[in-house]
Amino acid sequence: MLFRRIALLVLVSLSASACGGGGGSSTQTASAPTTVAEALKAADQSGAYPQLNRDTSVAGPDANNNGVRDDIDAYIASLPDSAPQKAALTQASASVTRAMTTDTTDQNALADAMRQIANASACLHARYDSSTASSKNTDMEKLTVNTKERFIAYEAFSAAASGHSFVLPQGDGCAN
């Protein structure tokens, strides 16, 4: 469902921007993308969004082994946010990656992944105001879960975690 919403959002925003205003030449050849693949390619080429890794692996490339794909690391580094805020964003993306790669049949691993997500959310709320923290959390989830394979893995984690409870972290939940 999340993947479809993201794809629809990309298609709608690109379609709206492709319409443009008047005053242009009637010989314009640009047309709105007709497939999700075309919309994603157009979004990457526009420079309006970070260019995201879309390979078929769930975790994706992570040269520094911090649990965050290299493309998301680069995106976070490019933001004007403070160093502690960037650390919270990194923790949030890493927690989603951990969830996607968790063995959902291992109850201890499942509980640990849920705890990491709770800590990351608490950390974001400690380092940003509430509405910004929620928005940043959603952004990290969207950027991290950006392919069908990643969506399926995250959905499997969500289904396995459904009905489980966990304790909220003491303190701010921040790893760094």
Side-chain angles (χ1 to χ4, degrees), residues 1-33:
M1 191 65 161
L2 174 66
F3 185 71
R4 288 182 187 153
R5 284 189 286 173
I6 292 170
L8 181 61
L9 178 63
V10 170
L11 283 171
V12 169
S13 65
L14 288 173
S15 295
S17 66
C19 292
S25 167
S26 62
T27 60
Q28 291 178 328
T29 58
S31 62

PDB file of all heavy atoms in Angstrom, residues 1-33:
ATOM      1  N   MET A   1       0.824  -1.186   0.000  1.00  0.00           N
ATOM      2  CA  MET A   1       0.000   0.000   0.000  1.00  0.00           C
ATOM      3  C   MET A   1       0.868   1.249   0.000  1.00  0.00           C
ATOM      4  O   MET A   1       0.593   2.180  -0.724  1.00  0.00           O
ATOM      5  CB  MET A   1      -0.912  -0.050   1.232  1.00  0.00           C
ATOM      6  CG  MET A   1      -1.978   0.987   1.198  1.00  0.00           C
ATOM      7  SD  MET A   1      -3.076   0.649  -0.185  1.00  0.00           S
ATOM      8  CE  MET A   1      -4.462   1.544   0.270  1.00  0.00           C
ATOM      9  N   LEU A   2       1.932   1.255   0.848  1.00  0.00           N
ATOM     10  CA  LEU A   2       2.829   2.406   0.912  1.00  0.00           C
ATOM     11  C   LEU A   2       3.499   2.627  -0.439  1.00  0.00           C
ATOM     12  O   LEU A   2       3.575   3.759  -0.911  1.00  0.00           O
ATOM     13  CB  LEU A   2       3.885   2.195   1.998  1.00  0.00           C
ATOM     14  CG  LEU A   2       4.975   3.244   2.100  1.00  0.00           C
ATOM     15  CD1 LEU A   2       4.358   4.575   2.530  1.00  0.00           C
ATOM     16  CD2 LEU A   2       6.036   2.807   3.080  1.00  0.00           C
ATOM     17  N   PHE A   3       3.953   1.514  -1.092  1.00  0.00           N
ATOM     18  CA  PHE A   3       4.617   1.639  -2.382  1.00  0.00           C
ATOM     19  C   PHE A   3       3.678   2.251  -3.414  1.00  0.00           C
ATOM     20  O   PHE A   3       4.077   3.118  -4.183  1.00  0.00           O
ATOM     21  CB  PHE A   3       5.123   0.264  -2.844  1.00  0.00           C
ATOM     22  CG  PHE A   3       5.919   0.330  -4.109  1.00  0.00           C
ATOM     23  CD1 PHE A   3       7.179   0.883  -4.115  1.00  0.00           C
ATOM     24  CD2 PHE A   3       5.410  -0.160  -5.300  1.00  0.00           C
ATOM     25  CE1 PHE A   3       7.916   0.943  -5.275  1.00  0.00           C
ATOM     26  CE2 PHE A   3       6.138  -0.104  -6.465  1.00  0.00           C
ATOM     27  CZ  PHE A   3       7.408   0.455  -6.447  1.00  0.00           C
ATOM     28  N   ARG A   4       2.422   1.826  -3.407  1.00  0.00           N
ATOM     29  CA  ARG A   4       1.447   2.375  -4.361  1.00  0.00           C
ATOM     30  C   ARG A   4       1.205   3.855  -4.100  1.00  0.00           C
ATOM     31  O   ARG A   4       1.090   4.640  -5.028  1.00  0.00           O
ATOM     32  CB  ARG A   4       0.130   1.625  -4.273  1.00  0.00           C
ATOM     33  CG  ARG A   4       0.201   0.236  -4.844  1.00  0.00           C
ATOM     34  CD  ARG A   4      -1.134  -0.439  -4.778  1.00  0.00           C
ATOM     35  NE  ARG A   4      -1.001  -1.817  -5.182  1.00  0.00           N
ATOM     36  CZ  ARG A   4      -1.791  -2.770  -4.782  1.00  0.00           C
ATOM     37  NH1 ARG A   4      -2.790  -2.509  -3.979  1.00  0.00           N
ATOM     38  NH2 ARG A   4      -1.599  -4.009  -5.172  1.00  0.00           N
ATOM     39  N   ARG A   5       1.130   4.237  -2.797  1.00  0.00           N
ATOM     40  CA  ARG A   5       0.915   5.651  -2.475  1.00  0.00           C
ATOM     41  C   ARG A   5       2.098   6.498  -2.930  1.00  0.00           C
ATOM     42  O   ARG A   5       1.915   7.587  -3.461  1.00  0.00           O
ATOM     43  CB  ARG A   5       0.685   5.837  -0.976  1.00  0.00           C
ATOM     44  CG  ARG A   5      -0.698   5.406  -0.545  1.00  0.00           C
ATOM     45  CD  ARG A   5      -0.949   5.793   0.859  1.00  0.00           C
ATOM     46  NE  ARG A   5      -0.176   4.879   1.711  1.00  0.00           N
ATOM     47  CZ  ARG A   5      -0.044   4.981   3.003  1.00  0.00           C
ATOM     48  NH1 ARG A   5      -0.603   5.956   3.651  1.00  0.00           N
ATOM     49  NH2 ARG A   5       0.643   4.104   3.688  1.00  0.00           N
ATOM     50  N   ILE A   6       3.312   5.995  -2.711  1.00  0.00           N
ATOM     51  CA  ILE A   6       4.505   6.730  -3.127  1.00  0.00           C
ATOM     52  C   ILE A   6       4.521   6.877  -4.644  1.00  0.00           C
ATOM     53  O   ILE A   6       4.755   7.960  -5.175  1.00  0.00           O
ATOM     54  CB  ILE A   6       5.787   6.026  -2.633  1.00  0.00           C
ATOM     55  CG1 ILE A   6       5.867   6.107  -1.104  1.00  0.00           C
ATOM     56  CG2 ILE A   6       7.030   6.645  -3.268  1.00  0.00           C
ATOM     57  CD1 ILE A   6       6.948   5.239  -0.500  1.00  0.00           C
ATOM     58  N   ALA A   7       4.256   5.774  -5.352  1.00  0.00           N
ATOM     59  CA  ALA A   7       4.255   5.816  -6.812  1.00  0.00           C
ATOM     60  C   ALA A   7       3.188   6.773  -7.319  1.00  0.00           C
ATOM     61  O   ALA A   7       3.433   7.562  -8.247  1.00  0.00           O
ATOM     62  CB  ALA A   7       4.031   4.424  -7.385  1.00  0.00           C
ATOM     63  N   LEU A   8       2.008   6.735  -6.718  1.00  0.00           N
ATOM     64  CA  LEU A   8       0.934   7.638  -7.125  1.00  0.00           C
ATOM     65  C   LEU A   8       1.315   9.085  -6.871  1.00  0.00           C
ATOM     66  O   LEU A   8       1.100   9.950  -7.714  1.00  0.00           O
ATOM     67  CB  LEU A   8      -0.366   7.289  -6.397  1.00  0.00           C
ATOM     68  CG  LEU A   8      -1.577   8.143  -6.750  1.00  0.00           C
ATOM     69  CD1 LEU A   8      -1.906   8.018  -8.233  1.00  0.00           C
ATOM     70  CD2 LEU A   8      -2.781   7.727  -5.924  1.00  0.00           C
ATOM     71  N   LEU A   9       1.933   9.345  -5.697  1.00  0.00           N
ATOM     72  CA  LEU A   9       2.363  10.705  -5.379  1.00  0.00           C
ATOM     73  C   LEU A   9       3.379  11.211  -6.395  1.00  0.00           C
ATOM     74  O   LEU A   9       3.287  12.339  -6.868  1.00  0.00           O
ATOM     75  CB  LEU A   9       2.948  10.753  -3.972  1.00  0.00           C
ATOM     76  CG  LEU A   9       3.489  12.085  -3.500  1.00  0.00           C
ATOM     77  CD1 LEU A   9       2.368  13.121  -3.437  1.00  0.00           C
ATOM     78  CD2 LEU A   9       4.147  11.942  -2.146  1.00  0.00           C
ATOM     79  N   VAL A  10       4.330  10.358  -6.740  1.00  0.00           N
ATOM     80  CA  VAL A  10       5.341  10.738  -7.730  1.00  0.00           C
ATOM     81  C   VAL A  10       4.676  11.016  -9.075  1.00  0.00           C
ATOM     82  O   VAL A  10       4.955  12.021  -9.728  1.00  0.00           O
ATOM     83  CB  VAL A  10       6.427   9.643  -7.862  1.00  0.00           C
ATOM     84  CG1 VAL A  10       7.320   9.910  -9.049  1.00  0.00           C
ATOM     85  CG2 VAL A  10       7.245   9.573  -6.591  1.00  0.00           C
ATOM     86  N   LEU A  11       3.779  10.131  -9.498  1.00  0.00           N
ATOM     87  CA  LEU A  11       3.101  10.326 -10.778  1.00  0.00           C
ATOM     88  C   LEU A  11       2.279  11.614 -10.806  1.00  0.00           C
ATOM     89  O   LEU A  11       2.326  12.381 -11.763  1.00  0.00           O
ATOM     90  CB  LEU A  11       2.187   9.141 -11.096  1.00  0.00           C
ATOM     91  CG  LEU A  11       2.872   7.889 -11.603  1.00  0.00           C
ATOM     92  CD1 LEU A  11       1.878   6.739 -11.663  1.00  0.00           C
ATOM     93  CD2 LEU A  11       3.487   8.119 -12.952  1.00  0.00           C
ATOM     94  N   VAL A  12       1.528  11.858  -9.738  1.00  0.00           N
ATOM     95  CA  VAL A  12       0.693  13.055  -9.688  1.00  0.00           C
ATOM     96  C   VAL A  12       1.543  14.313  -9.690  1.00  0.00           C
ATOM     97  O   VAL A  12       1.277  15.260 -10.432  1.00  0.00           O
ATOM     98  CB  VAL A  12      -0.249  13.023  -8.456  1.00  0.00           C
ATOM     99  CG1 VAL A  12      -0.916  14.364  -8.232  1.00  0.00           C
ATOM    100  CG2 VAL A  12      -1.288  11.939  -8.638  1.00  0.00           C
ATOM    101  N   SER A  13       2.610  14.330  -8.879  1.00  0.00           N
ATOM    102  CA  SER A  13       3.433  15.537  -8.821  1.00  0.00           C
ATOM    103  C   SER A  13       4.160  15.779 -10.134  1.00  0.00           C
ATOM    104  O   SER A  13       4.284  16.923 -10.576  1.00  0.00           O
ATOM    105  CB  SER A  13       4.421  15.468  -7.658  1.00  0.00           C
ATOM    106  OG  SER A  13       5.352  14.442  -7.857  1.00  0.00           O
ATOM    107  N   LEU A  14       4.616  14.714 -10.760  1.00  0.00           N
ATOM    108  CA  LEU A  14       5.287  14.896 -12.046  1.00  0.00           C
ATOM    109  C   LEU A  14       4.296  15.298 -13.132  1.00  0.00           C
ATOM    110  O   LEU A  14       4.609  16.104 -13.999  1.00  0.00           O
ATOM    111  CB  LEU A  14       6.035  13.631 -12.451  1.00  0.00           C
ATOM    112  CG  LEU A  14       7.293  13.355 -11.634  1.00  0.00           C
ATOM    113  CD1 LEU A  14       7.859  11.996 -11.996  1.00  0.00           C
ATOM    114  CD2 LEU A  14       8.332  14.432 -11.836  1.00  0.00           C
ATOM    115  N   SER A  15       3.106  14.738 -13.088  1.00  0.00           N
ATOM    116  CA  SER A  15       2.086  15.108 -14.068  1.00  0.00           C
ATOM    117  C   SER A  15       1.703  16.567 -13.922  1.00  0.00           C
ATOM    118  O   SER A  15       1.573  17.293 -14.905  1.00  0.00           O
ATOM    119  CB  SER A  15       0.834  14.239 -13.908  1.00  0.00           C
ATOM    120  OG  SER A  15       1.131  12.908 -14.197  1.00  0.00           O
ATOM    121  N   ALA A  16       1.555  17.016 -12.684  1.00  0.00           N
ATOM    122  CA  ALA A  16       1.186  18.407 -12.448  1.00  0.00           C
ATOM    123  C   ALA A  16       2.287  19.345 -12.908  1.00  0.00           C
ATOM    124  O   ALA A  16       2.028  20.386 -13.526  1.00  0.00           O
ATOM    125  CB  ALA A  16       0.875  18.630 -10.967  1.00  0.00           C
ATOM    126  N   SER A  17       3.543  18.977 -12.660  1.00  0.00           N
ATOM    127  CA  SER A  17       4.627  19.862 -13.072  1.00  0.00           C
ATOM    128  C   SER A  17       4.825  19.821 -14.583  1.00  0.00           C
ATOM    129  O   SER A  17       5.291  20.780 -15.175  1.00  0.00           O
ATOM    130  CB  SER A  17       5.930  19.486 -12.352  1.00  0.00           C
ATOM    131  OG  SER A  17       6.363  18.209 -12.758  1.00  0.00           O
ATOM    132  N   ALA A  18       4.464  18.715 -15.220  1.00  0.00           N
ATOM    133  CA  ALA A  18       4.607  18.617 -16.668  1.00  0.00           C
ATOM    134  C   ALA A  18       3.574  19.469 -17.393  1.00  0.00           C
ATOM    135  O   ALA A  18       3.787  19.873 -18.527  1.00  0.00           O
ATOM    136  CB  ALA A  18       4.479  17.150 -17.117  1.00  0.00           C
ATOM    137  N   CYS A  19       2.451  19.746 -16.725  1.00  0.00           N
ATOM    138  CA  CYS A  19       1.409  20.532 -17.373  1.00  0.00           C
ATOM    139  C   CYS A  19       1.868  21.954 -17.602  1.00  0.00           C
ATOM    140  O   CYS A  19       1.575  22.536 -18.622  1.00  0.00           O
ATOM    141  CB  CYS A  19       0.136  20.537 -16.523  1.00  0.00           C
ATOM    142  SG  CYS A  19      -0.644  18.907 -16.455  1.00  0.00           S
ATOM    143  N   GLY A  20       2.573  22.519 -16.629  1.00  0.00           N
ATOM    144  CA  GLY A  20       3.126  23.860 -16.778  1.00  0.00           C
ATOM    145  C   GLY A  20       2.065  24.908 -16.992  1.00  0.00           C
ATOM    146  O   GLY A  20       0.878  24.642 -17.060  1.00  0.00           O
ATOM    147  N   GLY A  21       2.496  26.133 -17.069  1.00  0.00           N
ATOM    148  CA  GLY A  21       1.579  27.243 -17.301  1.00  0.00           C
ATOM    149  C   GLY A  21       1.589  27.618 -18.751  1.00  0.00           C
ATOM    150  O   GLY A  21       2.259  27.027 -19.577  1.00  0.00           O
ATOM    151  N   GLY A  22       0.848  28.640 -19.075  1.00  0.00           N
ATOM    152  CA  GLY A  22       0.786  29.109 -20.457  1.00  0.00           C
ATOM    153  C   GLY A  22       2.062  29.805 -20.861  1.00  0.00           C
ATOM    154  O   GLY A  22       3.018  29.890 -20.121  1.00  0.00           O
ATOM    155  N   GLY A  23       2.077  30.344 -22.039  1.00  0.00           N
ATOM    156  CA  GLY A  23       3.203  31.130 -22.513  1.00  0.00           C
ATOM    157  C   GLY A  23       4.291  30.309 -23.158  1.00  0.00           C
ATOM    158  O   GLY A  23       5.232  30.852 -23.683  1.00  0.00           O
ATOM    159  N   GLY A  24       4.208  29.016 -23.088  1.00  0.00           N
ATOM    160  CA  GLY A  24       5.233  28.179 -23.689  1.00  0.00           C
ATOM    161  C   GLY A  24       4.934  27.946 -25.153  1.00  0.00           C
ATOM    162  O   GLY A  24       3.866  28.260 -25.658  1.00  0.00           O
ATOM    163  N   SER A  25       5.898  27.390 -25.830  1.00  0.00           N
ATOM    164  CA  SER A  25       5.736  27.087 -27.239  1.00  0.00           C
ATOM    165  C   SER A  25       4.767  25.925 -27.403  1.00  0.00           C
ATOM    166  O   SER A  25       4.718  25.015 -26.589  1.00  0.00           O
ATOM    167  CB  SER A  25       7.106  26.712 -27.824  1.00  0.00           C
ATOM    168  OG  SER A  25       6.951  26.136 -29.083  1.00  0.00           O
ATOM    169  N   SER A  26       4.013  25.950 -28.449  1.00  0.00           N
ATOM    170  CA  SER A  26       3.073  24.862 -28.697  1.00  0.00           C
ATOM    171  C   SER A  26       3.780  23.632 -29.249  1.00  0.00           C
ATOM    172  O   SER A  26       3.160  22.614 -29.470  1.00  0.00           O
ATOM    173  CB  SER A  26       1.983  25.320 -29.675  1.00  0.00           C
ATOM    174  OG  SER A  26       2.576  25.664 -30.902  1.00  0.00           O
ATOM    175  N   THR A  27       5.087  23.718 -29.442  1.00  0.00           N
ATOM    176  CA  THR A  27       5.828  22.577 -29.963  1.00  0.00           C
ATOM    177  C   THR A  27       6.513  21.799 -28.849  1.00  0.00           C
ATOM    178  O   THR A  27       7.442  21.058 -29.104  1.00  0.00           O
ATOM    179  CB  THR A  27       6.890  23.051 -30.985  1.00  0.00           C
ATOM    180  OG1 THR A  27       7.778  23.948 -30.320  1.00  0.00           O
ATOM    181  CG2 THR A  27       6.247  23.715 -32.178  1.00  0.00           C
ATOM    182  N   GLN A  28       6.054  21.960 -27.580  1.00  0.00           N
ATOM    183  CA  GLN A  28       6.652  21.217 -26.481  1.00  0.00           C
ATOM    184  C   GLN A  28       6.473  19.727 -26.742  1.00  0.00           C
ATOM    185  O   GLN A  28       5.404  19.280 -27.150  1.00  0.00           O
ATOM    186  CB  GLN A  28       5.979  21.572 -25.160  1.00  0.00           C
ATOM    187  CG  GLN A  28       6.280  22.984 -24.704  1.00  0.00           C
ATOM    188  CD  GLN A  28       5.539  23.295 -23.415  1.00  0.00           C
ATOM    189  OE1 GLN A  28       4.453  22.795 -23.187  1.00  0.00           O
ATOM    190  NE2 GLN A  28       6.152  24.116 -22.588  1.00  0.00           N
ATOM    191  N   THR A  29       7.542  18.967 -26.468  1.00  0.00           N
ATOM    192  CA  THR A  29       7.478  17.535 -26.703  1.00  0.00           C
ATOM    193  C   THR A  29       7.422  16.744 -25.403  1.00  0.00           C
ATOM    194  O   THR A  29       7.251  15.542 -25.435  1.00  0.00           O
ATOM    195  CB  THR A  29       8.690  17.059 -27.531  1.00  0.00           C
ATOM    196  OG1 THR A  29       9.882  17.409 -26.816  1.00  0.00           O
ATOM    197  CG2 THR A  29       8.682  17.694 -28.905  1.00  0.00           C
ATOM    198  N   ALA A  30       7.580  17.402 -24.255  1.00  0.00           N
ATOM    199  CA  ALA A  30       7.555  16.694 -22.979  1.00  0.00           C
ATOM    200  C   ALA A  30       6.142  16.187 -22.698  1.00  0.00           C
ATOM    201  O   ALA A  30       5.171  16.898 -22.905  1.00  0.00           O
ATOM    202  CB  ALA A  30       8.007  17.607 -21.849  1.00  0.00           C
ATOM    203  N   SER A  31       6.078  14.955 -22.277  1.00  0.00           N
ATOM    204  CA  SER A  31       4.774  14.404 -21.922  1.00  0.00           C
ATOM    205  C   SER A  31       4.882  13.795 -20.531  1.00  0.00           C
ATOM    206  O   SER A  31       5.958  13.455 -20.070  1.00  0.00           O
ATOM    207  CB  SER A  31       4.333  13.357 -22.933  1.00  0.00           C
ATOM    208  OG  SER A  31       5.235  12.272 -22.939  1.00  0.00           O
ATOM    209  N   ALA A  32       3.757  13.656 -19.900  1.00  0.00           N
ATOM    210  CA  ALA A  32       3.725  13.081 -18.561  1.00  0.00           C
ATOM    211  C   ALA A  32       4.092  11.603 -18.634  1.00  0.00           C
ATOM    212  O   ALA A  32       3.733  10.920 -19.585  1.00  0.00           O
ATOM    213  CB  ALA A  32       2.335  13.252 -17.970  1.00  0.00           C
ATOM    214  N   PRO A  33       4.811  11.101 -17.625  1.00  0.00           N
ATOM    215  CA  PRO A  33       5.141   9.678 -17.599  1.00  0.00           C
ATOM    216  C   PRO A  33       3.865   8.842 -17.561  1.00  0.00           C
ATOM    217  O   PRO A  33       2.876   9.240 -16.960  1.00  0.00           O
ATOM    218  CB  PRO A  33       5.916   9.511 -16.290  1.00  0.00           C
ATOM    219  CG  PRO A  33       6.242  10.874 -15.808  1.00  0.00           C
ATOM    220  CD  PRO A  33       5.311  11.824 -16.463  1.00  0.00           C
TER     221      PRO A  33
END
